[in-house]
Amino acid sequence: DGLPLPHIAPQPSDLVETSPELICSCLGKADEAYLLYVHRKIPKKLNQSALDQLHAPHAPVELSIGLPAGDYDVVRINPVSGERGQLPSLSVKDQRASLSLPDFHMDAALLLTKQP
């Protein structure tokens, strides 16, 4: 909902840079709308301690995002519940901008839509 589905495609893997314990994937239509999915890396050995750590809140994290210049509306989406929350707009001037992702548990999604 909110993405131009017939026109979206995987975006380059270097579009978003973040901390090494996280993985970020991105789909979108260049210069229009992007859906970012951020999740914790799953450890090779899953024991109770690792599971507890995965489900504990993750501190806020900074994402470095490379997008075409412009202003973007940012909506945070909870992948489990579908709940949405508006985040501050993102202004990109020099091809990269910093976006603060508030605390989350296992994963989070962000919908970035370029303002006209």
Side-chain angles (χ1 to χ4, degrees):
D1 176 7
L3 280 175
L5 288 179
H7 306 287
I8 63 169
Q11 297 298 303
S13 61
D14 64 349
L15 183 85
V16 180
E17 297 171 1
T18 189
S19 60
E21 74 270 5
L22 298 174
I23 295 175
C24 187
S25 304
C26 182
L27 294 173
K29 180 179 180 193
D31 208 28
E32 188 174 318
Y34 302 86
L35 179 64
L36 282 63
Y37 177 66
V38 179
H39 66 92
R40 291 180 171 193
K41 287 185 180 177
I42 298 176
K44 291 179 181 177
K45 184 176 182 182
L46 282 178
N47 55 30
Q48 191 59 47
S49 174
L51 287 172
D52 291 344
Q53 194 171 23
L54 280 174
H55 293 288
H58 191 288
V61 65
E62 289 295 315
L63 304 175
S64 174
I65 304 175
L67 297 173
D71 295 321
Y72 294 82
D73 289 323
V74 182
V75 175
R76 178 181 175 175
I77 304 167
N78 180 318
V80 175
S81 68
E83 182 181 343
R84 293 171 173 242
Q86 191 71 39
L87 294 179
S89 293
L90 179 66
S91 183
V92 180
K93 296 189 183 351
D94 299 322
Q95 296 293 320
R96 290 208 82 79
S98 182
L99 175 65
S100 181
L101 175 61
D103 62 329
F104 61 98
H105 286 268
M106 182 72 144
D107 56 2
L110 297 169
L111 177 61
L112 286 70
T113 309
K114 191 169 187 183
Q115 298 173 359

